[in-house]
Amino acid sequence: DGGITQSPKYLFRKEGQNVTLSCEQNLNHDAMYWYRQDPGQGLRLIYYSQIVNDFQKGDIAEGYSVSREKKESFPLTVTSAQKNPTAFYLCASSIGVTGAEAFFGQGTRLTVV
Amino acid sequence: ILNVEQSPQSLHVQEGDSTNFTCSFPSSNFYALHWYRWETAKSPEALFVMTLNGDEKKKGRISATLNTKEGYSYLYIKGSQPEDSATYLCAQNQAGTALIFGKGTTLSVSS
């Protein structure tokens, strides 16, 4: 089935460790996104990529890094520099960045202890 | 930072009631306005994408309108059903930039 797969669904890490969240899509979409949700905050944009080997910072990029080596994959690394990493992370993709409907993964809940 | 505002934050209605939510956004550099429905334990799903001032879109009992000049959109649900219970997200595109979301309106429909 076509769609976006995020893994794992739940992730636990110790404070100070980097962790990478996976996002894969088989929709042949050029654009991919990472959002973070905290209680009462809605979805906040971390990074997005319009095309392979290109990405732009969103509103809350500090402490995160991404890569876009393949069209299908847009992994997000939460580094030890991210002060409050515990959150729900959603990956999405769309045909293009502007005006195109976004399709979302199921999300990864990251807990840092 | 682009600021998209939604109101109310939450809403509780009885089955059969009609209801509406508001999304306000900056009217400058507007390209598109999206509405998504996010049910518990599921992924957000698109309801509407609107680009033109005066656009009205409908899907079953749900409809939306767009006013780009004054920077607002309304989402209407006619005859609410328990299965309409969800968080409704509004998001805006400016040209060449990613979707920026509001905080959402959480609707609860009691039978």
Side-chain angles (χ1 to χ4, degrees), chain A residues 35 40 97-102 105-106, chain B residues 31 34 36 43 46 93 96-97 99:
Chain A
Y35 291 92
V97 166
T98 308
E101 172 186 345
Q106 295 276 16
Chain B
Y31 191 92
H34 300 225
Y36 291 82
S43 305
N93 265 138
T97 64
L99 282 173

Side-chain angles (χ1 to χ4, degrees), chain A residues 5-33:
Chain A
T5 302
Q6 289 187 242
S7 61
K9 191 172 182 179
Y10 299 95
L11 189 55
F12 295 87
R13 278 294 181 270
K14 290 184 177 180
E15 191 172 350
Q17 289 181 335
N18 291 356
V19 59
T20 298
L21 281 58
S22 170
C23 179
E24 303 278 333
Q25 55 99 359
N26 60 6
L27 299 169
N28 200 32
H29 286 169
D30 284 319
M32 296 187 74
Y33 316 83

Side-chain angles (χ1 to χ4, degrees), chain A residues 4 27-33 35 48-50 92-104, chain B residues 30-36 44-51 57 90-101:
Chain A
I4 300 179
L27 299 169
N28 200 32
H29 286 169
D30 284 319
M32 296 187 74
Y33 316 83
Y35 291 92
Y48 68 103
S49 168
Q50 299 193 55
S93 72
S94 61
I95 292 172
V97 166
T98 308
E101 172 186 345
F103 293 80
F104 287 85
Chain B
F30 174 87
Y31 191 92
L33 192 285
H34 300 225
W35 283 99
Y36 291 82
E45 291 185 346
L47 289 171
F48 307 111
V49 179
M50 296 181 288
T51 57
K57 296 211 171 181
C90 166
Q92 188 198 1
N93 265 138
Q94 292 183 327
T97 64
L99 282 173
I100 301 299
F101 284 83

Side-chain angles (χ1 to χ4, degrees), chain A residues 11-110:
Chain A
L11 189 55
F12 295 87
R13 278 294 181 270
K14 290 184 177 180
E15 191 172 350
Q17 289 181 335
N18 291 356
V19 59
T20 298
L21 281 58
S22 170
C23 179
E24 303 278 333
Q25 55 99 359
N26 60 6
L27 299 169
N28 200 32
H29 286 169
D30 284 319
M32 296 187 74
Y33 316 83
W34 276 104
Y35 291 92
R36 167 181 172 148
Q37 189 201 28
D38 296 280
Q41 289 286 344
L43 296 178
R44 292 186 292 166
L45 180 66
I46 304 171
Y47 267 99
Y48 68 103
S49 168
Q50 299 193 55
I51 200 168
V52 174
N53 293 323
D54 180 69
F55 48 83
Q56 286 83 40
K57 292 181 179 180
D59 297 330
I60 55 166
E62 185 176 351
Y64 299 98
S65 66
V66 293
S67 63
R68 187 83 188 279
E69 297 177 2
K70 298 186 300 181
K71 189 175 187 177
E72 302 80 18
S73 179
F74 192 40
L76 174 74
T77 297
V78 184
T79 74
S80 56
Q82 167 51 230
K83 295 179 181 178
N84 297 294
T86 294
F88 184 71
Y89 292 86
L90 266 178
C91 179
S93 72
S94 61
I95 292 172
V97 166
T98 308
E101 172 186 345
F103 293 80
F104 287 85
Q106 295 276 16
T108 293
R109 185 165 298 280
L110 172 65

Side-chain angles (χ1 to χ4, degrees), chain B residues 5-111:
Chain B
E5 301 282 349
Q6 291 188 247
S7 62
Q9 182 177 343
S10 63
L11 191 57
H12 184 98
V13 301
Q14 295 295 315
E15 183 176 359
D17 288 348
S18 293
T19 188
N20 66 84
F21 322 134
T22 303
C23 173
S24 61
F25 52 87
S27 53
S28 60
N29 299 319
F30 174 87
Y31 191 92
L33 192 285
H34 300 225
W35 283 99
Y36 291 82
R37 175 166 59 197
W38 193 359
E39 298 178 67
T40 302
K42 294 186 177 180
S43 305
E45 291 185 346
L47 289 171
F48 307 111
V49 179
M50 296 181 288
T51 57
L52 299 176
N53 184 46
D55 260 353
E56 294 187 24
K57 296 211 171 181
K58 186 176 181 181
K59 184 182 290 188
R61 295 178 290 98
I62 304 176
S63 60
T65 61
L66 178 66
N67 183 322
T68 60
K69 293 184 178 180
E70 297 182 37
Y72 65 84
S73 174
Y74 295 135
L75 186 78
Y76 301 91
I77 302 178
K78 184 177 178 182
S80 301
Q81 299 297 309
E83 57 265 33
D84 295 328
S85 298
T87 295
Y88 291 83
L89 298 171
C90 166
Q92 188 198 1
N93 265 138
Q94 292 183 327
T97 64
L99 282 173
I100 301 299
F101 284 83
K103 294 182 179 181
T105 294
T106 299
L107 174 66
S108 176
V109 183
S110 299
S111 57

